[in-house]
Amino acid sequence: NRFSTMEEFRIALGIPRLKAVTEKTYEIFISYSIEDQGYAEIISAGLEELGLGCWLAQRDIPPGDDWASAIHDAIHQAKAFLLILSNFSNHSIQIEREVTLADSKNLPIFCIRTEDVILSGALSAYLKNIQWLDFFELPTKPGIEKLTKTIRKGLSHSYHLHPRGSSPDQTQPSIIVHE
């Protein structure tokens, strides 16, 4: 026998990995630069403690899976997109791709800043009209609660969103979070 498990056989044939019945569900795709992973984990843990499931690339992509496909699938399955905006993510081509994909799926986009960042290039086009939350220090419980409330409010009103280019006011983003 060339394969010791059925999973090895499926992989050899190029058949996608079977999703485990216990695989977690999530509402929020968290986009972050690898340099901000610790920060992303703190945000994710806080949101999950308050009942919002999160997807983090480093944690939720199994070893051996195709990274680009996993990111694509996760954004398509998410109900909302949360960007952790730092100087690192502000200059990341991968982050630009993720924001572009989230926008093309008309996901509500939320943004938290970890430092005072002036938006660069492509991110500016997507985020300049979105109100973000500033967490220049590690987020506190009240800060995470505010973020959770903001996301839940956005999710509950997401049916009011118009795809870009079809809203009466062409200058408005997919969602604006007012806090």
Side-chain angles (χ1 to χ4, degrees), residues 9-139:
F9 180 67
R10 293 176 59 77
I11 291 169
L13 292 176
I15 299 171
R17 177 178 65 91
L18 293 174
K19 294 186 186 257
V21 174
T22 59
E23 193 166 313
K24 74 177 208 152
T25 59
Y26 59 93
E27 293 86 18
I28 314 300
F29 177 96
I30 300 181
S31 178
Y32 61 96
S33 171
I34 191 66
E35 290 88 355
D36 299 317
Q37 181 175 343
Y39 198 93
E41 289 171 351
I42 291 169
I43 295 291
S44 175
L47 292 173
E48 288 175 341
E49 184 177 311
L50 295 172
L52 286 175
C54 299
W55 192 93
L56 295 170
Q58 291 293 328
R59 177 187 74 189
D60 295 319
I61 299 176
D65 274 15
D66 179 67
W67 190 270
S69 294
I71 296 282
H72 178 270
D73 292 348
I75 291 173
H76 278 264
Q77 293 172 25
K79 295 181 179 112
F81 183 92
L82 173 62
L83 171 63
I84 297 179
L85 182 61
S86 68
N87 192 48
F88 298 114
S89 60
N90 191 38
H91 293 95
S92 167
I93 293 171
Q94 180 59 35
I95 298 296
E96 288 180 16
R97 290 180 187 130
E98 292 172 7
V99 172
T100 300
L101 183 56
D103 181 70
S104 74
K105 295 302 297 173
N106 293 314
L107 290 179
I109 297 175
F110 301 92
C111 181
I112 57 174
R113 291 190 315 166
T114 63
E115 57 190 311
D116 192 12
V117 176
I118 298 173
L119 293 171
S120 66
L123 287 181
S124 178
Y126 293 108
L127 303 175
K128 68 181 177 183
N129 291 328
I130 293 177
Q131 180 65 37
W132 50 63
L133 297 173
D134 288 338
F135 289 156
F136 290 170
E137 302 293 326
L138 286 178

